[in-house]
Amino acid sequence: MSKRNLALIGATIVSIIYGVTFTIAKDVMPLYIDAFGFILLRVGGSVILFWLVWLFMPKEKIALNDFPRIVTAAFFGVALNMLTFFKGLSLTSPISAAVIMVSTPMIVLTLSAIIMKERMQKRMVFGIVLGLIGTAFLILYGKSIGSATNAGLGNFLVLVNAISYGFYLIIVKKLMDKYNAFTFVKWIYLFGFIMVLPFGWSQFQTVNWALVPMDICWKIGFVVVFSTFLTYLLNLLSMKELKPTTVAVFIYLQPVFATIFAIGLGKDELSLVKIGSAVLIFVGVYLVTQKKN
């Protein structure tokens, strides 16, 4: 099997894990642990895993002038990305959050045009506008069931997370072209842990672990090991063979898996607003990602 096919399989596995994570993380927050406390646990556990794995990997020296890029990647790919995502998810529903994440490829393309001076066609611009309209409708009118306490704010924070992740994909690509993934990802997570520590420490301290059921502990472990450590590693390895925009395209699969999983467990339900918003976003995504004949 070619390296590209392996990268595509890896990106698909990431989408499946993320799609399931929307509902699993929602079961944990905010009843047992609040969003920022959960992030501290998530990033802290991943830091330990990445540094342990690095001990058995070939060693590379990172140039000092690359550390500013690593710190920036830590901010957009770990701190801002995770804090806004988990806080937003704690306020909205799994399906709404997953649908908004579909806007990430359009965001990546827009940022590539601004930062990397890539040329954009009229079709792409129209697709981006269409996708943003769909996202705006979901943020303003996408009501949710269950424990969605503030769907509007939650959806907006998930959108901020999508923009942050778009920046991260572009920033980290140059590091992937230069180093092995294990060489710098441990630093990204260490700096990210330092950034989220002031936000999550107080919430982490208030957790009464004696009252946390065993199934919730397993779900926390799933988020740390699979949704964080494994997904970030697979994404980085996929980017070794694929462009940032191609990796971002696999986010389109997340709403499918998130919807099947959430509805199957009775954690969420479909509505006309969610369906209409999803259609607008997917049409926008289609227009943006179609190659020129």
Side-chain angles (χ1 to χ4, degrees):
M1 189 178 292
S2 68
K3 290 183 178 180
R4 178 177 173 80
N5 287 338
L6 286 173
L8 293 172
I9 292 172
T12 303
I13 293 173
V14 168
S15 293
I16 295 172
I17 294 173
Y18 277 151
V20 171
T21 300
F22 285 104
T23 297
I24 290 179
K26 184 72 177 176
D27 288 341
V28 179
M29 305 177 300
L31 183 59
Y32 297 102
I33 181 170
D34 217 335
F36 292 167
F38 197 0
I39 288 298
L40 183 64
L41 189 64
R42 180 184 183 184
V43 178
S46 297
V47 167
I48 295 171
L49 290 174
F50 278 120
W51 278 86
L52 284 175
V53 172
W54 171 78
L55 294 175
F56 303 96
M57 293 292 139
K59 304 300 183 289
E60 284 181 296
K61 187 175 181 180
I62 299 176
L64 287 177
N65 58 359
D66 283 327
F67 272 98
R69 179 175 289 273
I70 289 174
V71 172
T72 306
F75 175 76
F76 286 110
V78 177
L80 182 62
N81 173 32
M82 292 190 184
L83 289 173
T84 52
F85 174 66
F86 266 41
K87 186 62 178 179
L89 184 59
S90 71
L91 299 173
T92 188
S93 74
I95 291 178
S96 294
V99 170
I100 290 175
M101 284 301 295
V102 178
S103 63
T104 300
M106 293 182 289
I107 293 168
V108 171
L109 190 68
T110 304
L111 294 175
S112 296
I114 296 171
I115 298 173
M116 303 172 71
K117 308 300 181 183
E118 291 185 6
R119 194 174 174 184
M120 291 181 64
Q121 302 170 16
K122 291 181 180 179
R123 165 179 51 79
M124 293 179 174
V125 175
F126 180 68
I128 289 171
V129 172
L130 209 60
L132 290 177
I133 291 173
T135 304
F137 266 101
L138 192 60
I139 290 174
L140 295 173
Y141 304 110
K143 304 301 181 184
S144 304
I145 65 168
S147 56
T149 54
N150 191 338
L153 177 59
N155 291 339
F156 173 74
L157 289 174
V158 174
L159 177 62
V160 173
N161 151 75
I163 295 172
S164 176
Y165 188 65
F167 270 111
Y168 165 76
L169 287 178
I170 292 173
I171 293 167
V172 82
K173 178 60 177 173
K174 287 190 176 180
L175 293 172
M176 282 303 307
D177 293 339
K178 193 172 181 180
Y179 302 106
N180 180 284
F182 289 102
T183 301
F184 63 85
V185 71
K186 66 184 188 298
W187 289 108
I188 287 179
Y189 266 83
L190 180 59
F191 289 128
F193 177 76
I194 294 170
M195 292 175 188
V196 302
L197 188 60
F199 297 92
W201 180 247
S202 60
Q203 292 184 2
F204 177 75
Q205 283 185 308
T206 60
V207 178
N208 187 346
W209 291 102
L211 299 178
V212 178
M214 183 55 65
D215 67 308
I216 296 298
C217 290
W218 281 110
K219 289 177 179 179
I220 292 172
F222 177 89
V223 171
V224 173
V225 177
F226 291 95
S227 306
T228 312
F229 172 74
L230 184 60
T231 55
Y232 267 72
L233 187 59
L234 287 175
N235 258 342
L236 288 172
L237 295 176
S238 296
M239 287 183 68
K240 200 76 174 175
E241 302 295 328
L242 307 172
K243 295 180 180 179
T245 47
T246 306
V247 173
V249 162
F250 279 85
I251 290 174
Y252 309 159
L253 298 175
Q254 289 184 25
V256 178
F257 298 122
T259 300
I260 293 171
F261 195 70
I263 293 177
L265 295 179
K267 303 290 185 179
D268 204 352
E269 63 182 11
L270 287 174
S271 68
L272 288 176
V273 170
K274 290 175 184 174
I275 294 171
S277 298
V279 169
L280 286 173
I281 292 173
F282 274 104
V283 171
V285 162
Y286 174 80
L287 291 173
V288 167
T289 56
Q290 283 301 294
K291 289 185 178 181
K292 187 178 179 181
N293 294 329

